[in-house]
Amino acid sequence: MIKILKSLLPATVAVMGLGEAAAIAQNNAPVPVPVTVTVDTTRAGPVIDRNIYGQFAEHLGRGIYEGVWVGEDSPISNTSGYRNDVVAALRRLRVPVVRWPGGCFADEYHWRDGIGPRTQRPVRVNTHWGGVTESNHFGTHEFLNFAELIGADAYVSGNLGSGTPQEMAEWVEYMTSGSQSTLANERRRNGRDRPWRVRFFGFGNETWGCGGSMRADHSADLHRRYQTFVKAPREAPIVRVASGANSDDTNFTDVMMERARGQMDALSLHYYTIPDSWQNKGPATGFGEDKWASTLRAARRIDDLITRHKAVMDRHDPERRVGLFVDEWGAWYEPEPGSTPGFLYQQNTLRDAHVAALSLNIFHRHTDRVRMTNIAQMVNVLQAMILTDGPRMLLTPTYHVFEMYVPFQGATPLAATVEAPEYRFGDISLPRVDVSAARDTSGRLHLALVNLDPNRPARVVTNVTGMTVRGARGRLLTGPALDTHNSFDQPDRIQPAAYSGRVEGGRLVLDLPAKSVAVVAVE
Ligand code: AHR
């Protein structure tokens, strides 16, 4: 590939070698790197489950309170207590599913605290997240009605760590029973006649850590025990999600699959992208190319992790009945200076847009097992879609990627290969361009392209087998700096712009600026 690159460079550049200097043409503009993408429309994978675009909303910092719920008496514009601006933005994203109430919070949450008249609900201490008081004003009714309001399915995480099987079973009955039982009638008295549809139910969270510090075999046994008592109506079955492994702990997956695969419909996996180490996560803004490269390398690691967990699952479940749900993922940096550390509030930049796009592309390649993922978290926490400051709201670069990728929800992924020289920084080598291709249900082909190189544009020449291409139109997200981000004073500094490709010699050509994400529909 180096040979090809050299042959395409202007003579003045070729004599300078292939370092940074070689990237500069006579007019001082970086020379586009030639990239070839081949899409094989005859090689399709299993459909991209819409739930791969899921969200996670925990009682953490300002994720729920202020982020989603301001209460009916708030001066912030709201409908029945839900902020109108956030609800409208989430509806545009077509959020398929929301996981709630945690996270670590789930294994200390007792659902009865969050029903009945709000003024009479007990106030608790949120011991995991900042030791702040939890008013319980956002409880079962508020969450399930919120999910309906934004058109998402509910994924409720039950308390396996400090609750009882009886408490868990009664919660599910309260939410889903259409009978005349005392619990169903209590729900009616609290304002909800019809049972809710709770499509997904999680049995604990991170049972190996904040959910109970359990070893895998105990975790498997507890899962088996609790799920025995959770009974949803036959006509509205629940997908039982077992709490699974952290990062590369394939032994945890192995034991859960060995001991409890018959009692689960999905197993979870958590993986966070951190630039270097948990002790040295680095800031969300104001970083250099070293952190850009190490963050994208960390984000790409999820590909290998999924591959390894899938291989373990395949040994126990070759028919792939049990889904792998990556129900927490995203970038985790140092909290924003001046914010409460336990609130995990961080800015969100062009780097995060790349983390999101690379991750989604990777999930598209594992649809044989990965049927849900939930980015952490939806509003004001970690790699958020939305940030709020009192009445003000902004959409992050991550939000824009999710919105640009909407056509991939429910589409059929196609095999795509990239030929390009790698992007290198120090000892880090990364693919220069990452691509995902998929056909939506109306037959339209969509391409998502990520240029990881923050310095060099790419000229992508695309071969699409079995299709005469007439052009491509879509949107592009980029910015002048590695940490380009929106602020409350400049909420539209980074947003997608109209973008198109052209056809040369029968082939689609897409000019990708440095550090950019593009999504196009091919005509
Ligand atoms: O998303 C923040 C926390 O990260 C979650 O509560 C926990 O499950 C994970 O460790």
Side-chain angles (χ1 to χ4, degrees), residues 387-442:
L387 302 178
T388 66
D389 175 27
R392 302 192 288 178
M393 179 198 84
L394 65 80
L395 305 177
T396 67
T398 299
Y399 176 97
H400 291 308
V401 167
F402 268 67
E403 203 264 325
M404 287 161 67
Y405 270 65
V406 163
F408 286 91
Q409 293 189 16
T412 300
L414 302 171
T417 51
V418 180
E419 287 170 71
E422 288 181 319
Y423 155 59
R424 285 171 199 264
F425 185 84
D427 61 357
I428 299 176
S429 301
L430 297 168
R432 174 171 299 276
V433 168
D434 191 86
V435 175
S436 186
R439 230 185 241 302
D440 68 20
T441 46
S442 67

Side-chain angles (χ1 to χ4, degrees), residues 293-409:
S294 64
T295 306
L296 299 192
R297 176 177 60 184
R300 291 193 68 255
R301 212 180 139 222
I302 204 167
D303 198 359
D304 175 56
L305 294 177
I306 291 173
T307 303
R308 287 162 56 198
H309 286 280
K310 269 178 26 178
V312 172
M313 293 177 79
D314 283 352
R315 280 210 310 273
H316 298 284
D317 174 35
E319 293 80 29
R320 300 195 172 138
R321 185 189 68 80
V322 177
L324 179 61
F325 286 5
V326 186
D327 62 14
E328 285 185 30
W329 67 273
W332 192 323
Y333 310 118
E334 301 298 346
E336 205 55 18
S339 67
T340 306
F343 284 9
L344 309 186
Y345 176 74
Q346 63 191 38
Q347 248 298 355
N348 193 294
T349 71
L350 183 59
R351 175 174 61 166
D352 297 287
H354 281 65
V355 170
L358 288 173
S359 304
L360 293 170
N361 286 1
I362 290 166
F363 299 147
H364 294 173
R365 291 177 201 129
H366 291 286
T367 52
D368 53 352
R369 186 71 85 171
V370 175
R371 296 174 199 143
M372 184 193 291
T373 86
N374 307 77
I375 188 168
Q377 299 193 4
M378 195 164 67
V379 189
N380 287 334
V381 177
L382 298 176
Q383 190 176 348
M385 306 289 118
I386 294 171
L387 302 178
T388 66
D389 175 27
R392 302 192 288 178
M393 179 198 84
L394 65 80
L395 305 177
T396 67
T398 299
Y399 176 97
H400 291 308
V401 167
F402 268 67
E403 203 264 325
M404 287 161 67
Y405 270 65
V406 163
F408 286 91
Q409 293 189 16

Side-chain angles (χ1 to χ4, degrees), residues 56 58-60 99 101-107 128-129 205-206 208 210-211 246 270 272 278 327-329 332 344 375-377 381-382:
F56 171 38
E58 180 167 14
H59 286 238
L60 196 177
R99 177 174 181 250
C104 295
F105 182 83
D107 283 296
H128 281 293
W129 305 119
N205 169 75
E206 297 191 352
W208 42 263
C210 64
N246 182 35
H270 288 182
Y272 283 96
W278 283 102
D327 62 14
E328 285 185 30
W329 67 273
W332 192 323
L344 309 186
I375 188 168
Q377 299 193 4
V381 177
L382 298 176

